[in-house]
Amino acid sequence: MQNSDEEIIQEVLAGHVDRYAEIVDRYQQIAANLCYRLVGDRLDVEEVTQRVFVELYLALPRFRFESKLSTYIYRITVNTVAKMLKHDQRIVREDEDRPTEVPTNDTNPEHTVIRDETRRQVRRCITRLKHEQRVALVLYTYKDCSYQEIADIMKVSLSKVETLIFRARKNIQKMLTNHEKTDAE
Amino acid sequence: MKRQMLNENSPELQSVIDELKAMDYPSRVDVTDRVMEAVSGQPESIFGTHSKVRWIAAAAACAAFALLVNVGHLLANPYNSNQVNTMLSEVYNPDSYNGDGMIMDESDEYFL
């Protein structure tokens, strides 16, 4: 039977550091996916993920299990990304619009082109949002986080989350309209 | 109003949101070894000895602060107001003085 997060963390805190690997195995892909949605290729996702789990390890003695471990990991990921974007500008890549190769079973070239274009458009819209709006929207669409969870992760009020998501959607809508106009011209 | 507008997605916006929902990191990450290497060198410093030292230092700082507050309070208020009022009434109000406990010696004769 699989041990619960709390049991593993208690053991880690008691000195069995090797058990921490189980926590990393369990959540690293989730953290990486969230990071990827937040910044795309602008940061080295593996580098961010590694930092997230080192930060989490350092923060374990303060974790009281008042929220889910996954929520705590989201919060650390959001903070780590913000910190790295602020301080580690040197690793920010310039080719934001570079299409990502995503494995797919669809062999229809037309579908592939359309999907790549949509993906590029999504990334363009997301990267142009203000950081707070981007974080709120990504969390909203990620694992269907509730507004309350987003507020807890971002450490802001519930009404602020509503406003951020509302503005993010409105701005994306505006960008899409402008994009269509540009295409038509 | 705001909530209503949140639910009104245009098809384009909805496709962006759907795409965002499906956007995962394209490859599997495996940073376990790197993380374990980074954290395994410092378990004692985080959860063991150094943690205790931090707690002891924090407790000592609290005690020192409490002592300072007490000393400051004593310096600012050496007597409480009741004590001061009693002392003043005994000195300046002759009616309240009954002479109890007064011991006279020979030198006191000058004042009789």
Side-chain angles (χ1 to χ4, degrees), chain A:
Chain A
M1 206 179 101
Q2 208 180 31
N3 289 65
S4 72
D5 293 341
E6 187 165 0
E7 285 168 341
I8 296 173
I9 288 172
Q10 295 301 349
E11 283 194 43
V12 173
L13 291 173
H16 301 283
V17 185
D18 53 318
R19 296 297 308 273
Y20 188 63
E22 288 177 51
I23 296 287
V24 182
D25 282 341
R26 209 173 273 184
Y27 290 102
Q28 59 184 340
Q29 196 65 42
I30 293 174
N33 289 343
L34 176 59
C35 169
Y36 184 64
R37 288 189 196 189
L38 285 169
V39 290
D41 289 331
R42 293 171 65 210
L43 290 174
D44 182 337
V45 171
E46 294 212 359
E47 168 77 20
V48 177
T49 310
Q50 186 188 340
R51 284 198 196 190
V52 166
F53 284 96
V54 173
E55 290 276 334
L56 173 67
Y57 180 80
L58 296 172
L60 281 185
R62 296 193 299 275
F63 184 57
R64 297 278 172 260
F65 288 95
E66 286 159 0
S67 62
K68 286 187 283 182
L69 183 63
S70 56
T71 308
Y72 198 53
I73 291 172
Y74 297 162
R75 185 191 297 173
I76 294 176
T77 307
V78 166
N79 290 342
T80 307
V81 163
K83 244 186 274 176
M84 287 178 79
L85 283 176
K86 198 172 173 188
H87 298 295
D88 296 350
Q89 291 297 329
R90 66 184 183 279
I91 59 173
V92 173
R93 297 172 189 170
E94 288 175 0
D95 48 350
E96 289 170 12
D97 283 350
R98 185 167 56 94
T100 311
E101 283 174 23
V102 181
T104 173
N105 296 327
D106 192 348
T107 49
N108 186 330
E110 196 185 343
H111 291 176
T112 311
V113 170
I114 293 170
R115 198 176 38 249
D116 281 351
E117 177 51 32
T118 315
R119 194 160 284 139
R120 194 177 289 126
Q121 209 172 336
V122 171
R123 188 153 315 141
R124 201 180 295 129
C125 291
I126 294 293
T127 51
R128 283 179 190 171
L129 288 174
K130 283 184 182 169
H131 185 70
E132 271 193 317
Q133 290 175 20
R134 182 167 61 228
V135 172
L137 185 70
V138 166
L139 288 171
Y140 178 70
T141 58
Y142 190 65
K143 303 275 178 195
D144 291 326
C145 274
S146 69
Y147 279 19
Q148 187 56 57
E149 276 177 296
I150 299 172
D152 290 343
I153 293 166
M154 296 180 73
K155 288 190 174 171
V156 295
S157 68
L158 210 57
S159 58
K160 170 107 177 172
V161 171
E162 279 184 359
T163 311
L164 287 171
I165 293 173
F166 172 72
R167 287 192 182 146
R169 287 182 177 220
K170 218 174 163 191
N171 286 336
I172 287 181
Q173 185 77 66
K174 211 187 289 178
M175 282 181 236
L176 291 172
T177 316
N178 289 344
H179 182 70
E180 276 170 17
K181 273 184 194 167
T182 318
D183 280 355
E185 282 166 7

Side-chain angles (χ1 to χ4, degrees), chain B:
Chain B
M1 168 72 176
K2 201 185 285 177
R3 278 184 186 280
Q4 193 188 354
M5 285 183 77
L6 275 175
N7 294 325
E8 285 172 2
N9 283 349
S10 69
E12 296 84 4
L13 180 58
Q14 193 54 52
S15 75
V16 168
I17 297 211
D18 290 344
E19 185 60 38
L20 187 58
K21 279 186 176 181
M23 199 167 91
D24 279 339
Y25 187 55
S27 51
R28 284 218 63 80
V29 277
D30 187 4
V31 294
T32 310
D33 289 346
R34 283 152 67 185
V35 171
M36 293 312 289
E37 197 179 321
V39 302
S40 60
Q42 47 183 338
E44 269 300 299
S45 65
I46 296 159
F47 304 131
T49 320
H50 287 198
S51 177
K52 282 176 198 149
V53 169
R54 273 203 301 271
W55 277 109
I56 291 167
C62 284
F65 180 71
L67 192 67
L68 269 175
V69 169
N70 266 327
V71 169
H73 184 72
L74 277 176
L75 287 174
N77 309 289
Y79 299 104
N80 67 35
S81 58
N82 283 341
Q83 282 175 311
V84 172
N85 286 341
T86 309
M87 287 162 70
L88 287 175
S89 68
E90 280 179 1
V91 171
Y92 293 112
N93 187 358
D95 294 339
S96 70
Y97 178 64
N98 59 15
D100 280 348
M102 189 78 175
I103 299 167
M104 289 177 67
D105 59 19
E106 288 170 1
S107 60
D108 289 323
E109 285 178 9
Y110 290 106
F111 303 105
L112 290 175

